[in-house]
């Protein structure tokens, strides 16, 4: 399975002047450049618009879309609304791949080249990414962020366009970056992130710290898991496993409280019963046999669905 390798980047951003230049420079240094990069400025009030204007004059593939200031950063649904505002300005069929890319990253030079190579080598891979690392605020060491191999990470969601369309794109709610990967598996696609030195990237702002700090971010993550339909037992196991992760203990406490608080409030949930049944079946398998083995089994069990939709393609 070969294509032109044309990829589209769409980057929602707001008040990213602190990190923006490093992301812009790291994309400009890629061994395979994007066919088009749309940055959606979601009402920035800092130097972000001026920096984007400067780079738009320098980079012929960079296009800036301006949104009105709605008063505050809105993670989750707000980010995805901005993403779709950028997507609506192009014909997605003009590209082989589409990536939602955050603007607080420092990417290695062959990042997108190697993601494309991975997907060209296995046509069942619908979404992939490298692994995020960050500078620990106390030790100063560069350490990995917690993320499973069965998910492409939210800050660089790299998708085959065919897969992105089949799953229906992104849900406009918190946990959009978990629901998408589980929907991939439901349809027989493979969702993944791979830990290779050449695709490790630096996350300049630790995950969950982009809006009112890490505590709020972890509460939001707990709500997101509740919204998605995660089972209580599975999420208790997840938060226990992550107790040592930065910020130690308090991060897991906030995640669990975010879930419990949402349950107590009877907050709305993702209205797709078939998806929730699939998700909980997968999570039960993870608790029984471990996540790696459960993912391999689910990917094998669901393969027939992918083959039925793509009979002309074969794995290499």
């Amino acid at each position: 399975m070969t294509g032109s390798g044309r990829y589209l980047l769409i980057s929602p951003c707001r008040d990213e002047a602190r990190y923006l230049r490093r992301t812009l420079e790291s994309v400009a240094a890629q061994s395979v450049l994007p066919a088009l990069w749309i940055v959606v400025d979601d009402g920035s009030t800092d130097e972000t618009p001026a920096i984007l204007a400067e780079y738009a004059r320098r980079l012929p593939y960079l296009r800036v879309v301006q949104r009105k200031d709605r008063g505050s950063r809105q993670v989750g649904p707000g980010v995805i609304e901005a993403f779709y505002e950028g997507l609506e300005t192009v014909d997605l069929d003009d590209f082989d791949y589409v990536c939602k890319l955050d603007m607080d990253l420092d990417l290695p030079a062959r990042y997108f080249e190697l993601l494309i190579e991975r997907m060209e080598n296995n046509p069942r891979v619908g979404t992939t990414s490298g692994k995020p690392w960050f500078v620990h605020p106390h030790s100063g060491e560069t350490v990995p962020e917690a993320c499973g191999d069965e998910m492409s990470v939210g800050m660089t969601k790299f998708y085959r366009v065919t897969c992105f369309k089949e799953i229906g794109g992104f849900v406009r709610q918190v946990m959009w970056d978990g629901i998408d990967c589980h929907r991939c598996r439901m349809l027989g696609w493979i969702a993944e992130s791979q830990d290779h030195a050449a695709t490790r990237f630096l996350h300049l702002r630790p995950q969950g710290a982009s809006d009112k700090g890490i505590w709020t971010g972890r509460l939001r993550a707990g709500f997101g898991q509740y919204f998605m339909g995660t089972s209580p037992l599975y999420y208790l196991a997840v938060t226990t496993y992550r107790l040592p992760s930065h910020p130690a203990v308090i991060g897991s406490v906030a995640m669990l409280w975010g879930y419990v608080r949402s349950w107590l409030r009877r907050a709305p949930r993702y209205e797709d019963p078939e998806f929730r049944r699939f998700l909980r079946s997968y999570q039960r398998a993870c608790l029984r046999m471990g996540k790696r083995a459960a993912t391999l089994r689910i990917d094998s069990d669901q393969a027939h669905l992918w083959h039925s939709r793509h009979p002309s393609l074969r794995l290499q």
Side-chain angles (χ1 to χ4, degrees):
M1 179 177 176
T2 59
S4 67
R6 285 172 56 84
Y7 69 95
L8 166 68
L9 301 179
I10 302 180
S11 297
C13 74
R14 178 185 170 89
D15 295 338
E16 297 284 8
R18 181 178 177 184
Y19 311 107
L20 195 57
R21 290 184 185 275
R22 286 185 69 176
T23 307
L24 288 159
E25 291 291 346
S26 70
V27 172
Q30 289 296 301
S31 56
V32 177
L33 293 170
L36 180 63
W37 186 7
I38 301 173
V39 179
V40 182
D41 180 13
D42 196 11
S44 293
T45 58
D46 64 359
E47 296 301 311
T48 293
I51 296 171
L52 289 175
E54 173 192 338
Y55 277 83
R57 292 190 293 269
R58 289 173 45 192
L59 306 179
Y61 47 83
L62 178 62
R63 179 193 303 172
V64 179
V65 173
Q66 295 285 350
R67 298 187 86 199
K68 291 182 179 179
D69 180 12
R70 47 183 160 71
S72 63
R73 178 185 294 272
Q74 187 181 10
V75 297
V79 168
I80 298 306
E81 287 171 8
F83 171 88
Y84 273 106
E85 187 159 328
L87 185 60
E88 288 166 3
T89 67
V90 299
D91 184 348
L92 193 53
D93 289 331
D94 290 340
F95 306 92
D96 301 296
Y97 304 99
V98 59
C99 178
K100 179 264 182 191
L101 182 74
D102 285 1
M103 297 299 283
D104 57 356
L105 311 175
D106 193 345
L107 304 170
R110 298 184 64 206
Y111 186 75
F112 291 112
E113 175 193 349
L114 294 174
L115 296 190
I116 291 170
E117 181 180 286
R118 165 65 179 154
M119 298 179 87
E120 289 294 317
N121 287 338
N122 186 343
R124 267 192 72 197
V125 177
T127 180
T128 190
S129 75
K131 295 286 191 179
W133 290 58
F134 71 101
V135 177
H136 196 285
H138 302 305
S139 69
E141 294 181 302
T142 302
V143 295
E145 283 191 14
C147 58
D149 295 342
E150 78 288 354
M151 299 281 185
S152 59
V153 296
M155 62 287 284
T156 69
K157 279 285 182 183
F158 195 81
Y159 261 91
R160 194 184 304 274
V161 166
T162 306
C163 176
F164 185 78
K165 288 183 172 182
E166 286 189 11
I167 67 168
F170 298 136
V171 173
R172 304 188 191 208
Q173 183 51 278
V174 173
M175 205 46 61
W176 61 270
D177 54 345
I179 291 171
D180 67 315
C181 289
H182 290 299
R183 290 199 65 84
C184 284
R185 266 185 289 280
M186 278 184 67
L187 299 178
W189 290 97
I190 292 172
E192 62 171 31
S193 56
Q194 293 201 325
D195 189 18
H196 299 306
T199 54
R200 290 175 182 169
F201 61 89
L202 192 62
H203 195 186
L204 304 174
R205 178 170 46 205
Q207 187 177 24
S210 64
D211 182 47
K212 301 178 183 177
I214 287 181
W215 173 264
T216 300
R218 296 300 193 266
L219 286 174
R220 187 169 57 245
F223 161 70
Q225 291 289 342
Y226 171 85
F227 171 80
M228 182 169 67
T230 289
S231 72
L233 181 61
Y234 179 80
Y235 202 51
L236 179 61
V238 168
T239 54
T240 301
Y241 176 78
R242 291 193 174 184
L243 278 170
S245 299
H246 174 75
V249 182
I250 194 69
S252 288
V253 170
M255 290 163 63
L256 189 59
W257 174 237
Y259 183 99
V260 171
R261 184 177 66 174
S262 300
W263 177 77
L264 291 172
R265 293 176 174 177
R266 296 294 188 267
R269 307 195 90 162
Y270 182 45
E271 290 300 326
D272 188 333
E274 181 184 1
F275 171 86
R276 298 216 302 266
R277 283 193 296 270
F278 173 85
L279 174 67
R280 293 195 171 199
S281 175
Y282 169 68
Q283 290 173 342
R284 287 193 296 270
C286 289
L287 291 174
R288 288 196 311 271
M289 63 182 70
K291 188 179 285 185
R292 184 183 298 275
T295 302
L296 288 173
R297 195 192 75 173
I298 292 290
D299 285 346
S300 177
D301 289 348
Q302 300 296 104
H304 70 282
L305 297 175
W306 185 89
H307 286 289
S308 69
R309 287 186 172 89
H310 309 279
S312 63
L313 301 178
R314 64 181 180 86
L315 296 178
Q316 299 177 0

